[in-house]
Amino acid sequence: DPGAGAVVDLANLRRVMRAVEIHRLTGLTPTERAATPEYSRLAAYEPLIPFTAVGFDPGDRLSDRVEERFGAMLERGLLDEVRDLAPRLGRTARQAVGYKELIPVIAGEASADEGREAAIRATLALAKRQRTYFRRDPRIAWIPWHDDPGVRLERALAALEASL
């Protein structure tokens, strides 16, 4: 499929492998699949079942919240969990954010502080990618973060009501 590069990120091995899987299952090349009505609906975010989602945007508090959350995870035994699971983790699981950065700590190749900082950086990078991905979806009503859960609930209900 000479045009595959226009619809598949050829530098991303997982996406290339998925394109091969889809070809084997459907017989369609990536270019042929991109020309189908189903693909067009998917690209336009036209769901089979209409829905509205609510997303909370932590804004400037994201970094603080990630640091707090990761610190709490460490306090609750994340490092012990990684130590117990590491011998059994497959290649994909070893790449999970948090595990990937703490495996060198339990192997004695990095300090606990280095692992913590690396995990926080990786989590923030993942959050940025997720925000970029989900921002494109017009079905998601984005609401500014508020520390009070009651305020978040009120805002979410108002956004859902507005979408009806």
Side-chain angles (χ1 to χ4, degrees):
D1 182 7
V7 291
V8 176
D9 179 2
L10 299 179
N12 185 326
L13 182 59
R14 287 185 183 170
R15 292 186 187 219
V16 171
M17 293 300 294
R18 182 64 183 143
V20 171
E21 289 172 359
I22 291 170
H23 180 263
R24 287 181 177 165
L25 289 170
T26 66
L28 296 175
T29 67
T31 304
E32 291 168 340
R33 186 167 170 268
T36 66
E38 294 83 12
Y39 187 90
S40 296
R41 283 196 303 275
L42 180 67
Y45 296 96
E46 293 176 16
L48 296 175
I49 301 169
F51 78 97
T52 298
V54 174
F56 292 99
D57 184 353
D60 295 340
R61 288 252 323 152
L62 179 63
S63 181
D64 293 338
R65 293 190 70 238
V66 166
E67 285 187 38
E68 290 168 14
R69 180 172 170 263
F70 199 78
M73 291 168 65
L74 287 171
E75 287 176 16
R76 291 186 191 119
L78 178 60
L79 199 54
D80 292 331
E81 176 182 320
V82 174
R83 185 177 292 108
D84 292 344
L85 291 176
R88 301 187 309 249
L89 293 176
R91 186 171 61 209
T92 301
R94 285 180 165 277
Q95 297 302 308
V97 172
Y99 281 25
K100 178 180 180 180
E101 294 76 21
L102 293 180
I103 288 172
V105 173
I106 63 168
E109 300 166 1
S111 71
D113 285 342
E114 290 169 334
R116 180 182 187 280
E117 293 305 315
I120 289 169
R121 280 193 310 275
T123 302
L124 289 169
L126 174 62
K128 181 179 179 185
R129 289 190 305 273
Q130 289 173 333
R131 289 170 88 178
T132 299
Y133 178 84
F134 285 109
R135 284 273 178 219
R136 296 185 297 223
D137 193 331
R139 302 167 298 175
I140 300 175
W142 288 99
I143 300 168
W145 179 262
H146 195 283
D147 287 335
D148 182 338
V151 172
R152 288 195 310 265
L153 176 60
E154 288 174 17
R155 290 177 177 178
L157 291 174
L160 291 171
E161 192 172 285
S163 71
L164 296 177

